[in-house]
């Protein structure tokens, strides 16, 4: 017997309908690419998204077409997303920090028919136009007054393009499993692979992300996603914020400490989200300027391991709760959030920081397991680490066009490529990427643990640990340090600080100081590049 509930497909544009109907006056504030702060609200965003949908329909865009965006977080980018979704086309966010060859590869692989592009990236598109044979139209996210002269014959300013629609249009209706969005993973080896979200997976994911104990947005929140919409489905904040009716603060192109602080302060942001490198810049700015964060309640930190020292400063110096989160493009992206369950809520000081440094526990709809290399499940004792595998309705089952072949195990779990342990209360902690872990004398050393420890030293801005070949132990850890501005710590000081805090045989064999550590397009330490750079490194005898 089937249930007798209504068939109400979980379609993404229903989210903006909900926001416009019940939270219509709630603001969507943006730092525009042109400069000034722009203010609109959910009712207006919905009305203009509907015009985007109508305009796309007038141009012959249809169900299943891929439409790219190369843009910062602004209201126009948001309108483009919902407009694309509303006709059953697929938003394809492109990360502008990728190499031009990678951008050309993914635009062609996705067969994008159109692109919405910010002024910032117009020169890039002009330069690469010959490499984009499938691209029929370029919509520049600005108005005629700010539209620069361009060599592109098929480029028009967004506002004038939009003005040709009267808004007398209805969203298209289709199956909830229809593809909604696409985001390519920037794997370190091989070509990027396309992850394809569905309307259903996006809606389920946002419902789940909005639970208390997860991101948990409410109409009283002012959320600023510093994480760009082009990183891992924008951490789904383009859906979870309007779903909750939260005020949305879109920070545009400027991510330096001073610019981010200005918006946090003037717009009274209560929740914000980004990768650790962004928070590094903000914390340095706060330290130098002596400013504080009285209005900010919680900061979501993910995309790379959040150093314990960073959590400590946010919590203890600025009184801001840190929600350490882990996820992947393939997971829409949320996998876990570290909020304190009753089992841990009484902890104080170092014991509390130990827990907050973990990546946390999953929401309903994410199943996890850890296994050894043969696929045998490992115990949840908070120590034994193995390959982390996941299953759920917002987790990829294949890549676009079948790239990479079969990606699930026989039980339908996806191997994340991360190595982790899980404790008795279901808290997961990443110890490494499988390909970064150091194998020393047959045992594994966690590079993340060592990095977290090293950045706890007051003179260290950033740290990376890589395995370097060793004649006796196969590999040994090399610690690469970027010192804070104006500081010059020594190797002995750093190692002395770390001693006694990790097993003796985990201690780095050598410390090197560099002006900068390379990062990937999504803010992760580029370990492969570091390994190449230190390929000829030899430990002192
Ligand atoms: P992406 O698809 O670009 O978001 O990258 C996903 C990968 O980033 C994961 O598989 C992890 O290796 C890493 N990652 C994301 N969040 C965290 C975190 N909180 N701690 C450690 N690694 C993380």
């Amino acid at each position: 017997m089937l249930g007798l509930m209504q068939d109400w497909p979980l379609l993404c544009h229903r989210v903006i309908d909900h926001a416009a109907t019940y939270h219509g006056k709630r603001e969507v504030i943006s730092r525009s690419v042109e400069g000034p702060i722009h203010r609109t609200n959910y009712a207006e965003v919905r009305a203009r998204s509907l015009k985007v949908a109508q305009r796309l329909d007038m141009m012959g865009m249809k169900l299943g077409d891929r439409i790219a965006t190369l843009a910062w977080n602004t209201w126009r980018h948001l309108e483009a997303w919902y407009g694309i979704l509303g006709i059953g086309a697929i938003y394809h966010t492109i990360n502008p920090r990728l190499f031009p060859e990678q951008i050309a590869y993914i635009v062609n692989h996705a067969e994008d028919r159109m692109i919405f592009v910010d002024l910032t990236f117009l020169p890039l598109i002009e330069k690469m136009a010959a490499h984009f044979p499938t691209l029929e139209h370029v919509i520049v996210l600005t108005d005629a007054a700010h539209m620069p002269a361009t060599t592109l014959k098929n480029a028009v300013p967004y506002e004038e393009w939009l003005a040709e629609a009267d808004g007398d249009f209805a969203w298209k209706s289709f199956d909830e499993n229809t593809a909604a969005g696409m985001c390519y993973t920037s794997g370190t080896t091989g070509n990027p692979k396309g992850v394809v979200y569905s309307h259903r997976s996006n809606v389920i994911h946002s419902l789940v992300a909005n639970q208390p104990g997860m991101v948990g947005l409410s109409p009283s929140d002012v959320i600023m996603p510093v994480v760009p919409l082009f990183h891992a489905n924008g951490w789904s904040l383009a859906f979870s914020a309007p779903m909750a009716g939260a005020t949305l603060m879109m920070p545009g192109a400027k991510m330096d400490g001073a610019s981010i602080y200005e918006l946090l302060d003037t717009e009274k942001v209560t929740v914000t989200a980004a990768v650790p490198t962004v928070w590094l810049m903000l914390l340095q700015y706060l330290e130098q300027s002596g400013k504080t964060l009285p209005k900010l309640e919680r900061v979501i930190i993910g995309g790379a391991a959040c150093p314990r020292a960073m959590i400590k400063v946010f919590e203890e110096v600025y009184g801001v709760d840190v929600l350490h989160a882990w996820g992947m493009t393939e997971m829409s992206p949320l996998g876990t959030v570290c909020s304190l369950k009753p089992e841990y809520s009484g902890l104080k000081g170092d014991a509390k920081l130990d827990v907050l440094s973990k990546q946390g526990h999953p929401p309903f709809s994410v199943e996890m397991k850890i296994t050894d290399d043969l696929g045998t499940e490992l115990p949840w004792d908070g120590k034994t680490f193995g390959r982390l595998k996941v299953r759920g309705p917002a987790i990829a089952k294949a890549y676009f066009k079948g790239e990479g072949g079969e990606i699930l195990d026989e039980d339908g779990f996806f191997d994340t490529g991360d190595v982790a342990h899980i404790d008795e209360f279901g808290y997961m902690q990443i110890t490494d990427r499988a390909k970064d872990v150091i194998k020393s004398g047959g045992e594994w050393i966690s590079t993340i643990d060592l990095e977290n420890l090293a950045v706890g030293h007051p003179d260290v801005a950033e740290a990376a640990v890589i395995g370097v070949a060793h004649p006796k132990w196969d590999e040994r850890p090399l610690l690469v340090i970027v010192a804070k501005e104006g500081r010059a710590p020594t190797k002995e000081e750093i190692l002395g600080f770390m001693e006694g805090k990790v097993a003796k045989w985990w201690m780095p064999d050598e410390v090197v100081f560099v002006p900068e550590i390379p990062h990937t397009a999504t803010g992760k330490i580029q370990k492969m590049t570091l390994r190449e750079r230190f390929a000829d490194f030899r430990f002192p005898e």
Side-chain angles (χ1 to χ4, degrees):
M1 185 167 85
L2 294 178
L4 293 174
M5 290 296 119
Q6 296 178 13
D7 188 11
W8 196 84
L10 302 177
L11 297 175
C12 294
H13 34 288
R14 294 201 141 135
V15 173
I16 201 71
D17 285 349
H18 169 83
T21 308
Y22 301 105
H23 310 276
K25 290 276 185 296
R26 199 89 61 240
E27 279 193 305
V28 175
I29 312 155
S30 310
R31 188 196 291 283
S32 66
V33 174
E34 294 87 349
I37 300 292
H38 175 274
R39 310 187 94 86
T40 177
N41 60 37
Y42 283 128
E44 283 174 28
V45 165
R46 180 194 179 268
R48 282 167 50 99
S49 300
L50 205 57
K51 284 189 177 185
V52 173
Q54 182 181 19
R55 202 57 193 82
L56 292 172
D57 188 58
M58 286 159 67
M59 290 173 104
M61 298 295 138
K62 54 186 193 315
L63 193 80
D65 282 342
R66 273 77 70 195
I67 301 182
T69 67
L70 189 63
W72 302 112
N73 291 5
T74 68
W75 82 104
R76 287 185 179 127
H77 195 174
L78 189 70
E79 291 166 1
W81 264 41
Y82 278 104
I84 293 166
L85 286 161
I87 60 160
I90 302 168
Y91 63 83
H92 169 207
T93 47
I94 299 176
N95 185 337
R97 298 178 186 130
L98 292 172
F99 294 122
E101 308 82 68
Q102 286 177 312
I103 294 181
Y105 172 84
I106 65 176
V107 168
N108 288 307
H109 191 265
E111 299 169 63
D112 295 326
R113 288 189 65 189
M114 273 181 71
I115 190 165
F116 289 89
V117 60
D118 261 336
L119 284 168
T120 324
F121 309 117
L122 191 57
L124 180 74
I125 301 292
E126 286 173 340
K127 211 162 57 201
M128 296 186 61
H131 300 282
F132 298 144
T134 64
L135 222 47
E136 298 161 40
H137 310 278
V138 178
I139 312 296
V140 186
L141 291 165
T142 192
D143 54 18
H146 293 89
M147 181 77 178
T150 170
T151 53
L152 296 169
K153 294 192 180 52
N154 52 357
V156 292
Y158 175 80
E159 293 298 339
E160 284 63 25
W161 173 81
L162 197 61
E164 287 173 36
D166 60 12
D168 183 14
F169 192 71
W171 303 125
K172 304 265 171 170
S173 195
F174 35 80
D175 188 280
E176 64 181 15
N177 285 301
T178 302
M182 193 183 263
C183 188
Y184 279 72
T185 59
S186 42
T188 42
T189 50
N191 283 320
K193 297 190 200 66
V195 176
V196 185
Y197 310 107
S198 67
H199 282 257
R200 173 187 152 86
S201 70
N202 273 340
V203 171
I204 290 178
H205 181 273
S206 305
L207 284 167
V208 155
N210 266 340
Q211 288 180 90
M214 293 290 132
V215 177
L217 297 175
S218 83
S220 313
D221 276 317
V222 181
I223 164 87
M224 176 157 80
V226 182
V227 55
L229 289 176
F230 54 74
H231 179 200
N233 208 19
W235 296 11
S236 103
L237 291 163
F239 304 119
S240 40
M243 190 180 267
T247 300
L248 191 54
M249 171 68 241
M250 299 292 244
K254 292 187 178 168
M255 300 197 187
D256 60 284
S259 303
I260 292 298
Y261 174 80
E262 185 194 344
L263 298 180
L264 289 174
D265 184 53
T266 54
E267 301 301 339
K268 302 183 176 59
V269 171
T270 61
V271 192
T272 179
V275 294
T277 40
V278 166
W279 304 126
L280 200 66
M281 291 190 286
L282 176 73
L283 291 177
Q284 278 174 4
Y285 173 77
L286 294 176
E287 199 180 322
Q288 283 156 9
S289 63
K291 299 207 162 105
T292 56
L293 298 169
K295 293 154 200 135
L296 189 62
E297 292 167 13
R298 52 200 200 280
V299 54
I300 301 154
I301 308 183
C306 176
R308 181 192 170 94
M310 182 175 278
I311 301 176
K312 188 175 163 79
V313 173
F314 267 119
E315 294 260 333
E316 295 178 7
V317 179
Y318 300 106
V320 176
D321 287 339
V322 170
L323 287 175
H324 190 190
W326 164 84
M328 317 179 68
T329 305
E330 287 87 338
M331 299 180 72
S332 297
L334 189 65
T336 58
V337 171
C338 196
S339 58
L340 296 182
K341 299 187 196 180
E343 289 86 345
Y344 284 139
S345 61
L347 296 177
K348 299 253 173 320
D350 277 349
K352 183 176 173 190
L353 283 176
D354 284 346
V355 175
L356 292 179
S357 302
K358 294 175 186 254
Q359 277 72 10
H361 52 94
F364 171 72
S365 84
V366 175
E367 289 180 71
M368 299 192 299
K369 67 175 176 183
I370 41 172
T371 76
D372 62 17
D373 284 343
L374 300 173
T376 311
E377 276 203 51
L378 297 171
W380 291 17
D381 58 10
K383 290 196 298 277
T384 311
F385 49 81
R387 304 186 76 95
L388 177 63
K389 298 178 181 172
V390 289
R391 187 167 73 174
I395 299 174
K397 64 176 174 189
Y399 292 108
F400 187 49
K401 295 184 176 169
E403 298 291 340
E406 180 57 59
I407 60 170
L408 304 185
D409 72 9
E410 59 278 12
D411 298 319
F413 279 81
F414 169 76
D415 188 334
T416 62
D418 288 324
V419 176
H421 53 70
I422 304 177
D423 76 9
E424 57 178 321
F425 305 124
Y427 281 69
M428 183 275 288
Q429 183 156 19
I430 304 269
T431 57
D432 247 315
R433 282 298 287 169
K435 57 186 182 325
D436 294 337
V437 73
I438 298 176
K439 293 172 187 101
S440 175
E443 301 282 345
W444 287 10
I445 297 176
S446 159
T447 62
I448 293 184
D449 280 4
L450 291 176
E451 287 157 6
N452 274 344
L453 187 54
V455 290
H457 188 285
D459 294 343
V460 173
E462 209 179 4
V465 174
I466 51 167
V468 171
H470 188 282
K472 181 166 175 202
W473 302 110
D474 292 339
E475 278 186 325
R476 289 295 302 156
L478 171 70
L479 173 58
V480 183
I481 297 274
V482 179
K484 278 193 187 161
E485 230 179 281
R487 315 271 177 87
T490 63
K491 166 183 156 183
E492 289 72 27
E493 282 167 4
I494 304 279
L495 292 179
F497 172 80
M498 296 173 74
E499 225 163 72
K501 298 186 180 109
V502 282
K504 214 165 165 197
W505 64 275
W506 277 37
M507 285 290 286
D509 281 27
E510 187 58 283
V511 183
V512 290
F513 295 89
V514 295
E516 205 181 338
I517 285 176
H519 290 99
T520 66
T522 50
K524 298 182 218 317
I525 294 174
Q526 228 164 21
K527 297 253 172 118
M528 202 160 77
T529 313
L530 273 184
R531 280 194 292 264
E532 281 164 9
R533 191 184 295 173
F534 289 99
D536 298 327
F537 181 86
R538 295 286 168 270
F539 289 113
E541 290 293 321

